[in-house]
Amino acid sequence: MKQFIAVMVTALNGSEMVSKQSKVLHEVCGKTMAEWVCDAALEAGAARVIPMVDALDEQTHSFLKERFSCVVQTGSFSDALADALGEFDGTVVVLSGDHPLLTAQTIGKVVSLHGEQAHQVTVCEEIGLYCFETADLQGSSADTLEKLVGCMRAAGKKVEECSAGMADEKIKVNNRADLAMAGMFMRRRINAALMGAGVTLVDPTTTYIDAGVEIASDTVIEPNVYLRGNTVIGTDCVIGNGTTIEDSVVGDGVHIKSSVILSSDIGEGTTVGPFAYIRPGSHIGAKVKIGDFVEVKNSTIGEGTKVSHLTYIGDSDVGRHINFGCGTITVNYDGKNKFRTVIEDNAFIGCNTNLVAPVTVHENAFIAAGSTITDDIEADALAIARSRQTVKPNWRKNK
């Protein structure tokens, strides 16, 4: 296949989306439509991909210029195309940014067909793909892509129309219903690839996995699971019903039940949930137990530690083999500033304990249930911070 440059046209009418966001920036399975099309062109072997952005679409230009050298269309389509191509001599493939299901394989086949049959123009309108030769574009003047093709025909160029691509590749996104359909078909592709690689999806129709997610073989994904962003999941895991994981790393042999994990990492052999909330910046070690209704935020928890239920750990550095009793809170916020709590290895935190940061609990320390701890506790010590019980006989009877 001869060398080619791809120009992705983003100047598309998005009024039917009824959105303040540019049309091609709407996402399908974790990637914008524009990114899907550009990445397909690169995978197909394009020497360069150049987005052509309407002068009024600053939103799309700002987003894409991080990865690509964009051309801003201020005048005619032909002039903008000439600016994009510069001194390049060869095949140019023009792609529509609202066909997110277009594959690299289809782009490659059409470009090969265009070259082998010596077409001057190849039109695959159903999939939003057009091939031209730069020599034939010299001196062209057309306001739109469609008019450019018409000018080529009028000039006697060899314009061939072809049908290419699978049925789903022909989905053009004009509105929210189209966007939902594109997402459904893209999920089918993603899920099929994962199952082919040895991942068990109990119900693929209710499993929502973004394009950037990686899952190792022999992991089981139960229904109603959302895996988003750059999430990586190891082997032999069970991701339970109703779980959401975003931009996180999950080690081998982890079992997560109906929980939310955001921008964090979970060590191998750990169990999480049900109904746990792991907030950004958390690092959960190996063989840890994070139980029901536990929230962890911006904290590190060492190997073998157990946080079984109804506990909040925020801005804390927690060591190994620590037991947290039910209802423990690290009190990290004074209304103005955040402070950290340090708990060293093998400490025991009794039920209903408040740890008012900044505070350090040294190794092997034991905190009695119902304590509010405001001072550091030395190693091997027992800390009791609660008032003595007072019993008044016959109080209720006399009342």
Side-chain angles (χ1 to χ4, degrees):
M1 183 170 63
K2 62 192 297 188
Q3 188 183 54
F4 70 96
I5 281 180
V7 175
M8 193 270 292
V9 180
T10 69
L12 304 165
N13 182 9
S15 60
E16 293 181 55
M17 299 296 288
V18 193
S19 175
K20 61 181 177 293
Q21 183 168 271
S22 298
K23 178 179 177 180
V24 297
L25 295 187
H26 284 270
E27 290 192 354
V28 175
C29 297
K31 285 171 61 174
T32 65
M33 292 193 284
E35 288 177 302
W36 278 114
V37 175
C38 290
D39 288 346
L42 288 171
E43 187 182 343
R48 279 186 294 149
V49 174
I50 306 164
M52 185 187 295
V53 184
D54 189 276
L56 300 177
D57 191 359
E58 177 56 34
Q59 196 177 55
T60 301
H61 186 207
S62 178
F63 179 81
L64 291 176
K65 70 181 182 182
E66 299 291 327
R67 286 186 59 194
F68 303 98
S69 296
C70 301
V71 169
V72 178
Q73 183 179 346
T74 56
S76 71
F77 178 84
S78 292
D79 289 343
L81 187 59
D83 289 341
L85 298 176
E87 301 297 319
F88 177 74
D89 182 23
T91 301
V92 54
V93 178
V94 178
L95 304 168
S96 297
D98 55 1
H99 281 77
L101 289 145
L102 181 63
T103 64
Q105 292 75 19
T106 295
I107 295 172
K109 287 178 182 178
V110 174
V111 173
S112 295
L113 176 70
H114 174 80
E116 291 166 3
Q117 299 192 5
H119 298 165
Q120 291 173 299
V121 182
T122 300
V123 177
C124 298
E125 187 175 357
E126 288 183 316
I127 58 173
L129 191 160
Y130 303 78
C131 294
F132 302 92
E133 294 300 312
T134 54
D136 298 315
L137 294 170
Q138 301 296 327
S140 63
S141 178
D143 293 335
T144 66
L145 176 59
E146 292 74 16
K147 287 183 179 179
L148 177 59
V149 174
C151 290
M152 293 290 182
R153 281 199 177 96
K157 302 294 184 183
K158 187 178 180 182
V159 179
E160 298 291 338
E161 296 189 12
C162 74
S163 179
M166 303 294 289
D168 59 356
E169 293 181 80
K170 299 173 185 178
I171 295 174
K172 179 178 180 179
V173 176
N174 288 317
N175 52 48
R176 303 283 181 160
D178 296 336
L179 186 67
M181 184 179 295
M184 179 182 69
F185 280 101
M186 193 66 80
R187 280 194 298 275
R188 287 183 184 178
R189 288 185 190 175
I190 292 169
N191 292 350
L194 287 169
M195 288 187 287
V199 178
T200 295
L201 304 184
V202 175
D203 182 6
T205 63
T206 59
T207 305
Y208 305 88
I209 303 175
D210 279 357
V213 173
E214 300 177 20
I215 308 174
S217 63
D218 292 320
T219 281
V220 177
I221 311 295
E222 294 183 354
N224 300 311
V225 167
Y226 291 79
L227 304 177
R228 295 176 172 142
N230 297 314
T231 291
V232 178
I233 298 176
T235 187
D236 297 318
C237 296
V238 177
I239 310 301
N241 174 56
T243 293
T244 295
I245 304 175
E246 183 175 310
D247 293 324
S248 297
V249 177
V250 176
D252 298 339
V254 171
H255 194 165
I256 300 171
K257 307 172 186 177
S258 304
S259 297
V260 176
I261 299 172
L262 306 176
S263 301
S264 297
D265 52 80
I266 312 295
E268 63 180 28
T270 286
T271 62
V272 177
F275 315 120
Y277 185 20
I278 311 299
R279 291 168 57 190
S282 296
H283 306 280
I284 313 299
K287 299 179 176 63
V288 169
K289 179 181 180 181
I290 303 293
D292 53 289
F293 302 104
V294 171
E295 180 176 345
V296 181
K297 171 251 181 185
N298 190 32
S299 297
T300 299
I301 297 180
E303 179 183 352
T305 287
K306 296 180 179 179
V307 191
S308 295
H309 31 225
L310 298 163
T311 292
Y312 172 71
I313 298 176
D315 299 308
S316 300
D317 301 300
V318 178
R320 302 165 66 247
H321 304 294
I322 294 166
N323 186 82
F324 282 82
C326 178
T328 298
I329 297 173
T330 58
V331 186
N332 60 328
Y333 185 48
D334 66 359
K336 184 177 179 180
N337 298 303
K338 298 285 180 70
F339 299 95
R340 295 194 74 80
T341 296
V342 177
I343 306 173
E344 296 182 351
D345 296 349
N346 301 304
F348 184 96
I349 314 298
C351 292
N352 195 31
T353 292
N354 298 309
L355 295 160
V356 183
V359 68
T360 297
V361 179
H362 289 284
E363 61 182 348
N364 298 312
F366 193 108
I367 299 175
S371 295
T372 294
I373 302 299
T374 57
D375 298 320
D376 292 354
I377 303 172
E378 64 188 39
D380 300 302
L382 167 64
I384 307 172
R386 63 192 184 206
S387 62
R388 287 186 176 276
Q389 180 174 317
T390 299
V391 180
K392 298 183 177 182
N394 297 316
W395 179 90
R396 182 65 182 271
K397 183 178 180 180
N398 295 331
K399 194 79 171 178

